[in-house]
Amino acid sequence: MLSDYILHKIVTLYEKTYNRLVIALASTAMASVLTSGVALLTIPNLKYLSIAPLAVGLAAAEKIMRSTEIKVRKLLEAPEREVEVANYLTRLKDLYIERDYLTRYSQQPKIEDPLLKKEKKPLEASRRFLKSRYTVLKTRNKLVVTATALAVALPHLIIEKDVFIAMAALALALYVKKL
């Protein structure tokens, strides 16, 4: 039961992360492509500004991915810190009194509980699956980053034959792929 809750919580975290990534990368990609398009049509010197929104979007994507990784790691290492999990475990032990619970929880020594150990076992078994889901999330992120970098780089490369912008956009995408 605990493992089901934690798996559900992790899947929810991954979905929220993906939605945040799409919003961050789509908005910065749109700004970058619009700046690039305006530069192609009007002021050619603006083309160098199209790299800035792309870099901001990539930095935001990296920060979002790191924060999700930290949250999932904390959840897997110590699920008993979650309020719902702590309430679940105490109700299983028939020790739950709402008023007394917080004071007792802060005063008790931290000893590995056999009940918690039994509940954590399926979670430990499913770590590989969780890691593969995170890998899928990172792959989606890299795909969106690559598409964005190509959307910025190709018009400059094809129309203006400007290799610098194309190289800068693709270098940013390759940097993110290494992370």
Side-chain angles (χ1 to χ4, degrees):
M1 196 69 184
L2 174 65
S3 59
D4 295 336
Y5 168 76
I6 293 174
L7 291 175
H8 174 70
K9 182 96 172 174
I10 291 172
V11 168
T12 306
L13 273 172
Y14 285 166
E15 288 173 5
K16 285 181 183 179
T17 299
Y18 181 68
N19 292 338
R20 288 173 58 200
L21 283 171
V22 167
I23 290 171
L25 288 173
S27 62
T28 56
M30 188 182 307
S32 184
V33 171
L34 285 175
T35 306
S36 178
V38 168
L40 287 175
L41 297 176
T42 58
I43 306 167
N45 290 337
L46 283 178
K47 64 185 173 187
Y48 300 109
L49 287 178
S50 65
I51 297 297
L54 180 64
V56 168
L58 298 180
E62 179 184 351
K63 185 176 180 182
I64 291 169
M65 291 295 288
R66 296 277 183 229
S67 68
T68 302
E69 187 178 4
I70 290 169
K71 286 178 187 176
V72 168
R73 190 178 310 128
K74 284 181 181 178
L75 185 64
L76 287 174
E77 286 174 359
E80 63 273 4
R81 290 183 188 163
E82 293 261 330
V83 175
E84 292 87 3
V85 173
N87 287 341
Y88 169 74
L89 291 172
T90 54
R91 285 177 195 234
L92 281 180
K93 295 178 190 177
D94 293 328
L95 298 175
Y96 187 73
I97 301 170
E98 286 187 37
R99 282 181 278 135
D100 191 37
Y101 177 70
L102 289 176
T103 57
R104 193 180 47 206
Y105 183 73
S106 63
Q107 294 170 354
Q108 286 180 350
K110 306 299 181 217
I111 299 171
E112 184 66 32
D113 189 9
L115 181 64
L116 181 62
K117 194 173 184 179
K118 180 183 171 212
E119 288 282 337
K120 277 187 178 180
K121 196 169 186 174
L123 191 62
E124 290 294 325
S126 63
R127 266 187 204 252
R128 274 205 175 159
F129 297 124
L130 296 174
K131 193 171 186 175
S132 68
R133 279 193 162 194
Y134 186 73
T135 305
V136 167
L137 184 66
K138 283 178 81 170
T139 304
R140 284 182 182 174
N141 181 26
K142 290 175 184 178
L143 183 66
V144 172
V145 166
T146 304
T148 303
L150 286 175
V152 172
L154 284 180
H156 290 287
L157 192 61
I158 293 172
I159 296 172
E160 290 190 359
K161 310 284 191 268
D162 189 358
V163 178
F164 176 73
I165 294 290
M167 295 297 283
L170 295 176
L172 282 171
L174 287 175
Y175 173 73
V176 170
K177 281 189 172 189
K178 286 184 180 180
L179 302 175

